[in-house]
Amino acid sequence: MSSSSVRVTNVPAIKNAPLVGLAEGNGSFNNYHLAALVLGVPYVLKSILPFVNRGGFKTYLFLVVLTGVPTTIAYWTLNSLYGSRKNEKVHLPGKNIEEYITIKDVELKNMYKGREKIPMQVFHDAYFDGKIDFKDDIMDVLEARLDWAKMNFTPELFKYVLTEFLPEVVVHSQNQDEEQVRGHYDRGDDFYSWFLGPRMIYTSGIISNPDIEESLETLQDNKLAVVCSKLDLKPNDRLLDIGCGWGTLVAYAAKNFGCDVTGVTLGKNQAKFGEARIEQYGVSERARILCCDYREIPAGKGAYTKIVSLEMAEHVGVRRYSKFLRQVYDLLDDDGIFVFQVAGIRPSWQYEDLIWGLFMNKYVFPGADASCSLGWVINQLEAAGFEIKNVDVLGVHYSATIYRWYQNWVSNKDKVVEKYGDRWFRIWVFFLAYSTIISRQGSASVFQITMHKNLNAYHRVKGVQNHASIKIQLDQEPVYVSFFNSCNHKSSTFLPA
């Protein structure tokens, strides 16, 4: 089929992809083939090699252990290099690499020229070090990445997976989480304000009207309204926000709904910022932020009538995921509501998805290994005793949000470079530009899930009235106040309370 069968969009709400940006990548992989190789290679070796061919079943098992990892690495490498694209409806332009990027490093320049594509991991590492530059607008060049970059597994990626990623997945200790989270989120409030803007919300906003170009602040206000509506907040509610960030939702809920709100974050700067915002909003008597690990949340069965956690569970890790959800279950009142937002990679992945995920884990969100598919997340939630009421998939909403972060970041380049250096600017501009594309095309998405305990005595009929997905709007006009934080941000007269 020709590229004429693939349609582009022209929607004001998002950064629309050009035709080349809609090309599919390589997703060639088969678990049965891999299993056959892992079991078959040692069988063949045992049959033909001297000495070991005299051994029995134990010798075979020894060879399975000995050759399993190298065989797997070889299989992944070859498939990522030579596997076919999902389809070729979109034809790639076939331009020389020099039309997209400028390679300043002599060794790299000799290796990658003309139609010789550069591995994406090699590219972004060299870009961060200033050895490569984009020829034109970063976003435009990345849209055409399949024409100049290879999405293959490199030795450096395997090294990272085996020596850092997998050990962190296995351990995920409290000390490890604290070190990684604080190293990331305590970098500086100004650093984050230069792309998050005055709301200081580091999670996906929500598009309310795709036919207009809503501001970042509007997208985030839409999200706050939707989350609080799904929680069905009342003045007598006790709300817990696990992973509250800079405390915007904590202050918003306390101000607009009169409920008692407790936020939890590991970030020291975030806690300090959030407490200042709470005080500015005049809700200190019913809102607070605890700077602690989620494992240290004050215990108390049914202590909270409503619980929310927005894009924090990725940091919990696969190993501790079920235990975390059981903890939430115990903290929630039997008649309570839990709104859970989490990002994840699609199960029908392409190699690009995995390479992007490893980049994110190494450079942006270390330790966030629990970015799993929606099906996996739902299974974990149901196993913990929750009943799913509603699921909204917000990937394209996240793309719209991140694109606005990207625009903010680019506009603040001089400030970032002056204080944090060119490398930090490069890492984040690549992260934001690429993530805009990744979330738009479905490589990764974000799921907003509303649930309650799966108990006979839960009055499900009471949840019918607000069972209206992301079209929910507030029943009242929210209160807005100005806020001036310690990082010398400009005062805004339109911050959510």
Side-chain angles (χ1 to χ4, degrees), residues 41-194:
V41 168
Y43 179 82
V44 172
L45 292 176
K46 183 180 178 301
S47 301
I48 64 175
L49 291 179
F51 302 112
V52 296
N53 59 5
R54 300 177 184 177
F57 185 66
K58 290 183 179 180
T59 301
Y60 169 72
L61 289 180
F62 171 76
L63 289 174
V64 169
V65 173
L66 187 65
T67 64
V69 172
T71 300
T72 300
I73 289 175
Y75 179 78
W76 280 87
T77 300
L78 292 172
N79 269 276
S80 66
L81 273 171
Y82 303 111
S84 60
R85 292 165 55 193
K86 288 277 188 178
N87 65 59
E88 298 194 17
K89 292 180 181 179
V90 175
H91 299 300
L92 299 174
K95 296 179 181 179
N96 289 337
I97 193 172
E98 291 85 0
E99 296 190 47
Y100 294 107
I101 61 176
T102 300
I103 302 178
K104 297 183 285 186
D105 181 85
V106 176
E107 184 178 350
L108 291 174
K109 192 171 185 178
N110 289 332
M111 293 174 64
Y112 306 109
K113 55 189 174 182
R115 291 301 302 136
E116 181 59 41
K117 298 180 181 181
I118 184 171
M120 181 54 83
Q121 173 270 314
V122 174
F123 165 77
H124 66 59
D125 282 4
Y127 172 68
F128 301 155
D129 290 337
K131 297 178 181 179
I132 295 178
D133 279 321
F134 289 91
K135 264 284 179 68
D136 296 306
D137 178 78
I138 295 173
M139 187 72 73
D140 291 340
V141 176
L142 281 176
E143 293 280 18
R145 64 204 173 281
L146 293 183
D147 199 39
W148 55 266
K150 293 184 286 191
M151 302 299 170
N152 63 298
F153 269 66
T154 62
E156 181 61 32
L157 281 176
F158 283 116
K159 177 183 175 183
Y160 177 74
V161 169
L162 294 173
T163 63
E164 295 187 50
F165 179 76
L166 289 179
E168 287 180 352
V169 170
V170 172
V171 177
H172 246 296
S173 67
Q174 188 166 332
N175 288 338
Q176 173 188 308
D177 290 352
E178 181 177 319
E179 179 182 340
Q180 290 176 331
V181 169
R182 287 180 176 166
H184 178 78
Y185 293 102
D186 284 343
R187 182 169 302 124
D189 290 340
D190 54 354
F191 183 93
Y192 291 95
S193 73
W194 287 328

Side-chain angles (χ1 to χ4, degrees), residues 428-442:
W428 243 250
V429 79
F430 177 83
F431 150 55
L432 295 171
Y434 205 178
S435 296
T436 298
I437 295 169
I438 288 292
S439 52
R440 184 193 64 212
Q441 71 183 20

Side-chain angles (χ1 to χ4, degrees), residues 315-377:
H315 292 280
V316 169
V318 172
R319 181 186 168 211
R320 301 186 183 276
Y321 212 83
S322 59
K323 188 174 182 180
F324 165 70
L325 293 178
R326 288 195 298 271
Q327 178 187 0
V328 174
Y329 184 95
D330 289 339
L331 289 168
L332 184 64
D333 182 84
D334 283 351
D335 292 323
I337 298 173
F338 178 29
V339 173
F340 187 53
Q341 187 167 302
V342 62
I345 292 179
R346 58 185 170 188
S348 57
W349 49 262
Q350 298 176 21
Y351 282 96
E352 177 182 25
D353 306 355
L354 304 181
I355 292 167
W356 174 84
L358 290 173
F359 151 74
M360 292 283 283
N361 188 272
K362 181 177 181 179
Y363 288 100
V364 183
F365 297 115
D369 59 80
S371 297
C372 300
S373 69
L374 175 60
W376 185 89
V377 173

Side-chain angles (χ1 to χ4, degrees), residues 170-239:
V170 172
V171 177
H172 246 296
S173 67
Q174 188 166 332
N175 288 338
Q176 173 188 308
D177 290 352
E178 181 177 319
E179 179 182 340
Q180 290 176 331
V181 169
R182 287 180 176 166
H184 178 78
Y185 293 102
D186 284 343
R187 182 169 302 124
D189 290 340
D190 54 354
F191 183 93
Y192 291 95
S193 73
W194 287 328
F195 68 93
L196 296 180
R199 297 294 189 271
M200 293 295 280
I201 298 176
Y202 204 4
T203 56
S204 175
I206 289 178
I207 299 168
S208 65
N209 184 351
D211 296 324
I212 62 174
E213 186 178 347
E214 295 174 299
S215 68
L216 172 61
E217 288 69 40
T218 299
L219 295 179
Q220 296 294 13
D221 291 348
N222 294 340
K223 189 265 292 294
L224 293 171
V226 166
V227 168
C228 291
S229 296
K230 288 183 176 182
L231 287 166
D232 193 23
L233 290 179
K234 307 296 182 187
N236 62 344
D237 273 324
R238 303 180 305 278
L239 172 64

Side-chain angles (χ1 to χ4, degrees), residues 236-305:
N236 62 344
D237 273 324
R238 303 180 305 278
L239 172 64
L240 173 65
D241 183 356
I242 306 176
C244 66
W246 285 269
T248 304
L249 176 58
V250 173
Y252 179 95
K255 185 73 174 180
N256 289 289
F257 295 90
C259 52
D260 186 90
V261 190
T262 299
V264 175
T265 177
L266 258 177
K268 293 180 179 179
N269 288 357
Q270 290 183 329
K272 183 178 179 181
F273 184 101
E275 285 290 352
R277 173 161 281 178
I278 288 170
E279 183 177 354
Q280 180 70 23
Y281 289 1
V283 292
S284 297
E285 78 283 356
R286 59 177 181 272
R288 69 212 57 86
I289 293 179
L290 306 179
C291 185
C292 67
D293 187 270
Y294 71 88
R295 283 160 281 210
E296 299 172 339
I297 296 174
K301 198 168 183 66
Y304 300 94
T305 58

